[in-house]
Amino acid sequence: MATTRTEDSNPRGRSEARDRLLATASALFYGEGIRAVGVERILAEAPATRATFYRHFPSKEALVLAYLRDVDAHIRAGVRTAVDTAPGPADAVRAIGDGVATDLGRPEFRGCAFLNAANEYPEPGNPVRQVVLDHRAWYVAELTALFAQVFGDSPRRGEPEHAARHFLMMRDGAMTGAHIDGAENVGAAFQRGVEGLLTVLH
């Protein structure tokens, strides 16, 4: 039997209304802060009714979680592309670093969505903070696997997880300081740091 696609349902549980609400909220959350943006603002800009909103998101927190999971999916796809298209693991690390440096210079760049969310949700055990922690754990695990391949059996082999966490620390600093010290300067310094991890530690 044929089915008619409505605004609020489709075979995957997504809809134009849900996507519009999520896109609107994502732009506002990232640009202005999560706690600064209320549901009424999102409904006005989407636009959508309150009934439509709660049909898709039972609470604002559910929307925040969807926003962060969307960002997580985007970053995972970027890392996967870097790994799949790079000639080798060192080039994959460089490509991931290049992606970070490129993001710093985007006009809409407002820092790391996950660091921003963590600052707004400092409470341990909060579901939003847990999504942040899960994302960062995945990021470190991906980089650890790449650095393990880069270092191989070198007698000067570094500790892959240490290198991965060093990469994350540099990325966090770059994303925090780019709007103060200039994206070009910070991006170049970050890329030099990535090269150092690849060449000095092994």
Side-chain angles (χ1 to χ4, degrees), residues 139-197:
Y139 198 80
V140 168
E142 288 290 313
L143 286 166
T144 297
L146 288 173
F147 278 112
Q149 295 176 60
V150 171
F151 296 163
D153 297 323
S154 168
R156 297 179 59 197
R157 173 185 173 93
E159 178 58 49
E161 185 177 350
H162 292 174
R165 293 193 177 280
H166 197 151
F167 184 108
L168 179 63
M169 179 183 69
M170 293 192 303
R171 189 214 67 141
D172 290 349
M175 288 191 158
T176 302
H179 73 289
I180 301 172
D181 300 318
E184 185 174 346
N185 290 334
V186 172
F190 171 72
Q191 288 172 305
R192 288 194 297 272
V194 171
E195 198 62 36
L197 290 176

Side-chain angles (χ1 to χ4, degrees), residues 29-149:
F29 288 160
Y30 183 66
E32 301 181 20
I34 295 171
R35 294 192 185 276
V37 177
V39 171
E40 292 299 331
R41 171 86 179 280
I42 296 167
L43 294 179
E45 296 202 16
T49 66
R50 183 171 287 273
T52 297
F53 177 90
Y54 285 112
R55 187 177 301 121
H56 294 288
F57 303 102
S59 65
K60 180 184 173 182
E61 182 178 274
L63 178 59
V64 173
L65 294 174
Y67 152 61
L68 290 174
R69 286 169 181 148
D70 248 26
V71 177
D72 173 70
H74 175 75
I75 293 173
R76 287 179 188 242
V79 169
R80 179 49 49 199
T81 297
V83 172
D84 289 345
T85 59
D91 291 306
V93 172
R94 291 187 182 99
I96 294 169
D98 290 346
V100 172
T102 297
D103 283 345
L104 301 180
R106 298 190 189 281
E108 68 275 16
F109 181 74
R110 297 294 183 274
C112 171
F114 293 96
L115 291 179
N116 295 345
N119 286 335
E120 295 198 64
Y121 291 84
E123 307 87 358
N126 183 283
V128 173
R129 192 171 185 85
Q130 189 58 53
V131 170
V132 174
L133 295 175
D134 290 346
H135 170 79
R136 290 171 70 81
W138 163 81
Y139 198 80
V140 168
E142 288 290 313
L143 286 166
T144 297
L146 288 173
F147 278 112
Q149 295 176 60

